[in-house]
Amino acid sequence: MTVSATPKNPNKSDKPILPWLDALTWVAWGAVLLKLGITGRLRLLIHPNYTVLVFGTGIIFVAMGGMKCWDLYGRYRRSGRFEVEQTGQHITLFPKGWSTGLLLAAAIAGLLIPPKILGSETALQRGVSASLPNTQTQTQIFRTTTKPEERTIIDWVRAFNAYPEPDAYNGQSANVTGFAVHSPDLGENYIYICRFMITCCAVDAYPVGLIVKLPNGRAEYPPDRWLQVEGRMITETVAGKRQAVIEVASSDNIEKVPTPRNPYEFNE
């Protein structure tokens, strides 16, 4: 007796779960973008100018994934089977479904793991500077009428870019907030106090900072600790270079503060 096999319909998927995986991946990535936008953590990753664009993209992703799920459910109700029409063939590096699975896993990780704030280790890797990078061709919004004690780290850096002679700032008061960086190029009585500046996203963030001359050793101020430093500007040769340094009279002028909600500065 001959048993005839039922011919397989070439227009039906032999892995009906894959279209659902695709749809869920769209929804998951949309949820990641929306969550980052709603919680405010998107500011840790991109410039605020792009927040609306990213948030809108998240809405579109969720809508597309939802529509795909609805279409798949409609097909199931009509046929009673999880079958979808094949739309074509393409070459992939991974077995069918693996790429989508990796994207879905990354999205789930993005939902569960909050973005990390850039800190001293990244600052040392990228190089702390008291000047803006060469790619920024013009100094932004530096006002000479701003009182020295009201300048942020970024304001001081812009001042140095506008007029780099360190002696011009001798005796001026400074009151700045940033995180501590221990550079091997500095002595034990010196630290950098830094902020990261973002032009587009965290990938292009660069650290700018001021050197602080401490009244005692730096062990009391570990890397990544956020500090508010009050002192006055002096000129010293540090790391082989004459530069403006914040001299702190006593440890009472250094206050440990919590990490700010928005730890970065942004180019306009």
Side-chain angles (χ1 to χ4, degrees):
M1 181 177 65
T2 303
V3 179
S4 60
T6 304
K8 182 178 179 180
N9 188 341
N11 294 323
K12 299 296 183 181
S13 172
D14 58 346
K15 295 183 179 179
I17 193 175
L18 295 183
W20 289 92
L21 201 63
D22 290 338
L24 290 175
T25 300
W26 283 104
V27 173
W29 273 107
V32 170
L33 299 181
L34 293 178
K35 179 186 176 183
L36 291 173
I38 293 171
T39 60
R41 289 175 173 170
L42 198 57
R43 292 177 64 91
L44 302 179
L45 299 174
I46 65 168
H47 195 291
N49 288 348
Y50 308 112
T51 298
V52 174
L53 177 62
V54 173
F55 197 81
T57 302
I59 294 175
I60 293 173
F61 280 7
V62 171
M64 291 177 63
M67 291 172 61
K68 182 66 174 177
C69 288
W70 183 255
D71 177 64
L72 293 171
Y73 178 68
R75 292 175 182 270
Y76 169 73
R77 290 192 62 182
R78 288 193 299 269
S79 65
R81 299 176 61 188
F82 288 107
E83 295 179 340
V84 293
E85 297 294 332
Q86 296 277 25
T87 57
Q89 300 293 328
H90 59 276
I91 299 174
T92 61
L93 286 174
F94 300 104
K96 187 179 294 185
W98 278 39
S99 298
T100 303
L102 290 174
L103 287 173
L104 181 58
I108 293 173
L111 288 170
L112 299 177
I113 304 172
K116 184 180 179 181
I117 298 174
L118 297 176
S120 61
E121 183 177 351
T122 305
L124 289 174
Q125 290 173 352
R126 300 186 182 183
V128 181
S129 174
S131 63
L132 298 175
N134 295 330
T135 53
Q136 188 167 336
T137 55
Q138 68 179 49
T139 303
Q140 297 183 5
I141 315 179
F142 169 62
R143 300 182 178 90
T144 56
T145 56
T146 302
K147 295 180 179 180
E149 61 269 20
E150 295 177 353
R151 293 174 186 162
T152 65
I153 292 175
I154 306 303
D155 291 332
W156 279 107
V157 170
R158 287 172 176 160
F160 297 155
N161 272 256
Y163 193 75
E165 173 52 53
D167 288 343
Y169 308 97
N170 281 347
Q172 293 188 8
S173 299
N175 190 346
V176 295
T177 300
F179 62 92
V181 175
H182 293 189
S183 172
D185 297 330
L186 303 180
E188 285 299 315
N189 280 16
Y190 296 87
I191 62 171
Y192 279 111
I193 185 164
C194 297
R195 297 291 287 261
F196 273 95
M197 203 164 186
I198 289 181
T199 299
C200 178
C201 64
V203 174
D204 65 25
Y206 53 89
V208 292
L210 305 175
I211 297 175
V212 178
K213 184 177 183 180
L214 302 169
N216 301 304
R218 61 189 182 185
E220 187 179 348
Y221 311 104
D224 295 321
R225 178 76 236 193
W226 279 79
L227 306 169
Q228 182 176 351
V229 176
E230 186 177 354
R232 66 183 183 89
M233 285 293 182
I234 62 172
T235 300
E236 282 201 359
T237 300
V238 183
K241 179 181 178 183
R242 284 182 66 254
Q243 48 194 314
V245 174
I246 302 176
E247 182 181 46
V248 180
S250 74
S251 57
D252 293 337
N253 297 114
I254 303 178
E255 181 183 356
K256 297 177 181 179
V257 297
T259 302
R261 178 176 174 82
N262 297 319
Y264 304 146
E265 296 282 352
F266 301 95
N267 281 330
E268 298 178 359

